[in-house]
Amino acid sequence: MQRYLWARLLQSLLLLAGVLVLVFWLVRLTGDPAALLIARDFADTAQLEEMRQALGLNDPLGVQFVRYAGDVFSGELGYSLRFRQPAREAILAALPITLLLSTAAMAIALGVAVPLGIWGGNHPGSWIDGLTRLVGLLGQVTPTFWLAMILIWLFAVQLRWLPSFGVDGPSSFLMPAFALSIGAVGQLVRLTRAAVLEIRSEDYIRTARSKGLSEYAVGAQHIARNASIALVSVVGIQFTYLLAGSVYIESVFAIPGIGWMLNESIRNRDFVMVQSLTLFIATFAILIHLATDIAYGVLDPRIRHR
Amino acid sequence: MHRKFLTVVVLWILLTLSACVAPASPAAEEATAEEAAAAEVAGPPSTPTGTLIVALPLDPNSINPPNAAERMAGNVVNQIFDSLLAVDNVTGDLLPSLATGWEVSEDGMEYTLTLREGVLFHDGTPFNAEDVVATFAAGADPVNAYASGYANVTVEVIDDYTVKLMPTEPDVTFLRTLTGYNIISAEQFAAEGNLGIETNPIGAGPFKFVEWNKGDRIVLQAFEEYWDAGKPYLAEVIFRPIPESATRLAAIQTGEVHIINRLNADEASSLEGVAGVEQITYPADRVYYIAFNNLTTGVGQPTEDVRVRQAMNYAVDRQAIVDGIFGGNARLSSGFVTPWNLGFDEALAPYPYDPEKARALLAEAGYPEGFSIGMACPIGAYTSFEDVCQAIANYLGEVGIAVEGDEVEFLESGVYWDRQAAKELPPLFGDSWSASVGEALPRLTGALGGMSESYSAWSDPAIDDYLTSISAEFDPEARAVLYQELQQMMFEDPPFIYLYEPISFEAIREEVEGYVPDSVEQYYLKNAYLSE
């Protein structure tokens, strides 16, 4: 187990280094931030040049990279010109709201998907199984942005039940969290159903039943526990998808989290911020995968003892 | 069987959703005429009342005046700070603000301004000449990466309420530019520097700063001791950045915000007939054009011949482009001076669509079979401009001018402007240029200033002469005459394919009164109030 963890940790660090290099080069393909940062109609060449100098954009790329890597290792992540504060400070200020949003979305996804998946899986061919499969299909094919627009139109504009944008109390989170969760709902419901279907036809379930265990005990101790292994790995991955989905959802609903922040940074070619946020999200994703692997080990003895 | 079941359910859901897409009930719209009349007569309140919520399409980069990089940031700053002079957004006239009077020296190099007495900043300190000095000192500080112009003004204090401003170079629009320098408090600048102003701006404007929660809201509150007695009328102004335009459209319908701007024609028409929402439209002071190049890539090209450039102006059906792409919502350009600008020549009609004449001119110039030439346009910079460029390429093709490589070279805007600044774009390239000083001079200089201007690709000694005379003519009436002559000349010898000036659309809730944006989306909320 320990060797396994160390290997995973080393892999993660290599991955991060790769992300660092890749993002650095990619953002620089998009053009000159100075031209975007200064209102072009009023800027003259000297001003643009001054700005490039100030931003260090005239230095060789290698020098810029070393400087950026230094900022990363010091933990400061550099200074964001758009947000006019150190990148780390800006990210940490925006993070709670994104975590809240994605956690709410995950709660919705699990709350809908797990009971539905178990129920449907246990009663294949029934109407509830039909519903399960429908939710699974719709969840995975519904475009998030389309759903977000429909929700706003229906619940804000037509019914006036919910605010159309912003963060003004808990009701503000309902639509964005639901829209964000839809993909996860689809995948989790399908996965749970499939896992339950598969497990319930296993030999050990038949054995459990034949030795007289109650249906509840079979469901809770055998089916649910084994299904949760499949679920855990996907929940982790889905959580990172939710973070990525927040880039769009937060912009649609004007929620100032890190998704919105990434969008603003890209639009304004704030290199420092795009790099830092991407690196941050990558780190987060890698940590989640690590945590998933550990949780795997705890839930599945076969991995623990390998 | 299951598949059929699924299909039926999916169809059912889609049908239900589409059935919901019915127009909003018009019942609420039928306010009685009496009520409307009563609201009109009521006028502004005697004490600051109500909260106005303005949606912004983007979060401002900064609300420290010299650093406010874009118009939306400038609009927030304008409510917190006053400038020495202001502009009447209805008439376009210069108005006294923190300065009550001004005198210009013969040579236009010295501006003596009398300052208003009894003006207080939001922290209670009085306004005087030192604050003007501090404003230009703070703006010139290199930490303000976006500041422009501050360093080119020298301030001399005559007494507490008289200052002499001296631009380093003669500038006929100098008084206009003074409307853009927001006066900061010398005390705050001395104590906290630019960073202090950044986080807690203290101005002498109608509203004082309360809080800025980035990406969420900026809250301002009426300044009770504002110098313009009786104003502001609103107790509170809240700016809410909403990046997605569809969400802004929803928020104005629900009444969660009072003002939304930067709508396109489709979005504006989607609001027609919505209860409680009114539209504001105005032509923007922004000219779209296809530029020619006679400095680098265009040297030796057919476009050096004036007849070819005229032919290309005749070849393009501007009206069809505007109708087809903007639903008719743009003004056809006759030149580089817009109706908002000093010296606009109303008599000058845009080039008519006349492909026959275009072909004749091309033949006369020695290109009866036409020719091929490179053309580029930016992507993602301007509304539907990609379609416009494509249409122009087609029109040019109809008179025999083929775009090299059979297609317009579309470039991402950042890359595009880099190449434009390096003068590496093909001999035909599309762009647009706005103006904010009520005159076309900066636009003319910027686009036609030859090698010395970043974004210019054209040089013509005759135009240079006019620009030199205009820049040295301090009498507005004489300047207007020069502008008219230049327009005539630039019509006959066009350095551009002139295109159009777009119409701006905004929407407000019907209870909003006294909100008047100018041709560059600038507004002053001290005149605004909510009826009811």
Side-chain angles (χ1 to χ4, degrees), chain B residues 465-532:
Chain B
D465 286 347
Y466 267 105
L467 293 181
T468 313
S469 331
I470 290 173
S471 318
E473 180 55 72
F474 284 87
D475 173 18
E477 275 164 38
R479 215 153 64 230
V481 173
L482 289 172
Y483 276 123
Q484 294 203 344
E485 290 173 13
L486 175 59
Q487 279 168 84
Q488 190 61 44
M489 196 185 85
M490 281 174 57
F491 185 81
E492 284 155 16
D493 185 355
F496 306 104
I497 302 176
Y498 299 112
L499 298 176
Y500 54 90
E501 294 137 37
I503 290 181
S504 301
F505 292 91
E506 303 195 10
I508 60 172
R509 298 293 302 179
E510 61 185 357
E511 61 268 28
V512 177
E513 308 286 344
Y515 167 75
V516 185
D518 72 2
S519 64
V520 287
E521 306 175 301
Q522 189 162 235
Y523 50 80
Y524 299 94
L525 294 179
K526 72 178 192 177
N527 301 315
Y529 61 96
L530 299 170
S531 63
E532 268 170 342

Side-chain angles (χ1 to χ4, degrees), chain B residues 170-186:
Chain B
D171 178 1
V172 290
T173 63
F174 186 71
L175 279 176
R176 285 271 164 184
T177 63
L178 287 184
T179 64
Y181 296 114
N182 297 105
I183 300 300
I184 61 158
S185 148

Side-chain angles (χ1 to χ4, degrees), chain B residues 424-487:
Chain B
E424 286 168 358
L425 287 179
L428 292 184
F429 64 91
D431 208 341
S432 87
W433 208 295
S434 74
S436 61
V437 291
E439 291 192 28
L441 185 59
R443 170 160 59 214
L444 286 161
T445 315
L448 297 166
M451 289 310 276
S452 59
E453 290 290 332
S454 292
Y455 297 108
S456 161
W458 192 259
S459 178
D460 177 344
I463 294 176
D464 290 346
D465 286 347
Y466 267 105
L467 293 181
T468 313
S469 331
I470 290 173
S471 318
E473 180 55 72
F474 284 87
D475 173 18
E477 275 164 38
R479 215 153 64 230
V481 173
L482 289 172
Y483 276 123
Q484 294 203 344
E485 290 173 13
L486 175 59
Q487 279 168 84

Side-chain angles (χ1 to χ4, degrees), chain A residues 45 82-84 164 168 252, chain B residues 59 214 217 247 256 454:
Chain A
T45 328
R82 175 70 192 175
F83 294 93
R84 312 188 68 72
S164 60
D168 302 288
V252 168
Chain B
D59 201 34
K214 283 194 182 186
R217 71 189 69 209
T247 313
E256 287 165 282
S454 292

Side-chain angles (χ1 to χ4, degrees), chain B residues 271-321:
Chain B
L271 288 176
E272 257 159 45
V274 173
V277 178
E278 286 171 6
Q279 281 187 34
I280 297 180
T281 61
Y282 52 90
D285 194 346
R286 179 177 278 280
V287 181
Y288 282 78
Y289 55 88
I290 304 291
F292 299 113
N293 178 315
N294 71 355
L295 295 179
T296 52
T297 56
V299 174
Q301 294 280 344
T303 44
E304 285 193 320
D305 189 318
V306 57
R307 288 166 297 191
V308 171
R309 280 179 276 121
Q310 288 170 342
M312 290 165 107
N313 270 288
Y314 281 117
V316 174
D317 191 347
R318 294 168 184 71
Q319 190 66 55
I321 290 177

Side-chain angles (χ1 to χ4, degrees), chain B residues 26-185:
Chain B
E29 220 174 337
E30 292 163 11
T32 64
E34 267 170 51
E35 273 172 356
E40 290 302 324
V41 176
S46 49
T47 52
T49 318
T51 298
L52 182 81
I53 304 171
V54 183
L56 300 176
L58 43 85
D59 201 34
N61 72 312
S62 164
I63 50 174
N64 177 14
N67 253 336
E70 68 270 312
R71 175 67 59 213
M72 296 304 134
N75 275 339
V76 176
V77 165
N78 273 345
Q79 321 311 326
I80 306 173
F81 296 88
D82 269 359
S83 302
L84 291 170
L85 301 175
V87 180
D88 184 321
N89 275 0
V90 180
T91 62
D93 294 338
L94 270 183
L95 295 177
S97 182
L98 292 182
T100 51
W102 54 89
E103 263 173 49
V104 186
S105 69
E106 283 283 302
D107 61 356
M109 296 302 281
E110 291 181 358
Y111 295 75
T112 310
L113 289 101
T114 314
L115 305 182
R116 191 178 294 278
E117 297 187 27
V119 174
L120 293 181
F121 281 99
H122 302 155
D123 63 354
T125 56
F127 159 72
N128 60 34
E130 287 309 320
D131 301 306
V132 181
V133 176
T135 296
F136 286 94
D141 185 330
V143 302
N144 291 323
Y146 304 92
S148 93
Y150 286 87
N152 304 330
V153 181
T154 315
V155 185
E156 191 184 309
V157 176
I158 309 283
D159 60 46
D160 270 3
Y161 293 99
T162 316
V163 290
K164 196 194 274 179
L165 301 184
M166 291 160 288
T168 47
E169 278 172 38
D171 178 1
V172 290
T173 63
F174 186 71
L175 279 176
R176 285 271 164 184
T177 63
L178 287 184
T179 64
Y181 296 114
N182 297 105
I183 300 300
I184 61 158
S185 148

Side-chain angles (χ1 to χ4, degrees), chain B residues 264-276:
Chain B
N264 63 34
D266 288 342
E267 290 166 343
S269 68
S270 79
L271 288 176
E272 257 159 45
V274 173

Side-chain angles (χ1 to χ4, degrees), chain B residues 229-252:
Chain B
K231 290 177 183 175
Y233 304 127
L234 293 160
E236 196 180 34
V237 174
I238 301 177
F239 294 94
R240 309 246 9 209
I242 307 178
E244 172 61 50
S245 65
T247 313
R248 289 199 296 279
L249 285 175
I252 191 97

